[in-house]
């Protein structure tokens, strides 16, 4: 009986890896297109609050450790790969929890999209620039967006789970 329960609790990774792959492909294709079309550090106004603005980030979120001297490239690459491995384990173990696995797949796809940039270019390509007046949010990309959406869905899933336990 324990073997049957264990089998039901785990699921296939295929749909979740498919979501992650879609995120990676969309992220990489947009980065290639933006890199070919736009000049570095030249804002291209789209709306009064949004620009395309090609920049390279050698650090992590908000350019954290961007000027650290180069070791951060490998540290963040290793962190992204390790996170993907842990996420695969969690998705395999909880494959029947759709929102949980969808959120993890988005996070993994975004993390690996940025890992690819670090390995290929030595930096992450960012190009989405939102601003209000003179204040600009740090530029980001689709991978960062997927990570953020995944994190929000993860919190919502946990809140839903806690409410269901009451």
């Amino acid at each position: 009986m324990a073997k049957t329960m264990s089998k039901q609790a785990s699921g296939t990774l295929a749909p979740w890896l498919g979501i992650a792959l879609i995120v990676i492909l969309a992220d990489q294709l947009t980065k290639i297109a933006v890199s070919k079309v736009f000049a570095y550090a030249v804002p291209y106004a789209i709306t009064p609050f949004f620009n395309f603005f090609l920049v390279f980030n050698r650090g992590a979120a908000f350019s954290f450790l961007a000027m650290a001297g180069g070791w951060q490239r490998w540290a963040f690459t290793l962190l992204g790969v390790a996170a993907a491995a842990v996420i695969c384990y969690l998705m395999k173990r909880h494959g029947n929890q759709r929102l949980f696995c969808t959120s993890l797949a988005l996070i993994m796809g975004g993390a690996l999209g940025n890992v690819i940039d670090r390995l290929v270019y030595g930096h992450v390509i960012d190009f989405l620039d939102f601003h209000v007046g003179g204040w600009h949010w740090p530029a980001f990309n689709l991978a960062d967006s997927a990570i953020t959406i995944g994190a929000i869905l993860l919190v919502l899933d946990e809140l839903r789970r806690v409410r269901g336990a009451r």
Side-chain angles (χ1 to χ4, degrees):
M1 183 71 175
K3 190 171 188 176
T4 305
M5 293 296 283
S6 172
K7 187 80 168 165
Q8 289 175 343
S10 67
T12 179
L13 284 175
W16 316 123
L17 294 178
I19 292 170
L21 183 61
I22 290 168
V23 169
I24 292 167
L25 289 173
D27 176 62
Q28 290 300 303
L29 290 173
T30 57
K31 289 172 179 175
I32 290 167
V34 166
S35 295
K36 298 234 181 264
V37 172
F38 298 112
Y40 183 79
V42 176
Y44 294 89
I46 305 300
T47 71
F49 59 87
F50 173 69
N51 301 325
F52 281 124
F53 187 66
L54 176 62
V55 292
F56 303 143
N57 182 358
R58 297 189 187 291
F62 308 110
S63 296
F64 176 67
L65 294 176
M67 304 306 242
W71 63 266
Q72 74 277 19
R73 172 186 183 187
W74 305 110
F76 292 136
T77 297
L78 181 62
L79 182 63
V81 171
V86 169
I87 287 170
C88 281
Y89 169 78
L90 290 171
M91 289 188 305
K92 181 67 175 164
R93 186 152 188 222
H94 303 282
N96 58 342
Q97 297 176 26
R98 295 178 66 166
L99 185 56
F100 179 71
C101 289
T102 299
S103 64
L104 291 178
L106 291 170
I107 293 168
M108 182 172 78
L112 292 177
N114 285 338
V115 162
I116 291 168
D117 282 13
R118 291 183 199 289
L119 290 173
V120 173
Y121 309 113
H123 56 260
V124 174
I125 298 169
D126 289 329
F127 58 90
L128 301 171
D129 175 37
F130 286 89
H131 55 92
V132 176
W135 184 83
H136 285 255
W137 186 259
F140 59 99
N141 56 45
L142 290 186
D144 300 332
S145 299
I147 292 168
T148 302
I149 292 167
I152 290 167
L153 291 176
L154 197 59
V155 169
L156 291 175
D157 181 59
E158 187 58 26
L159 290 173
R160 187 184 68 170
R161 193 178 342 272
V162 167
R163 280 191 177 171
R166 287 183 183 179

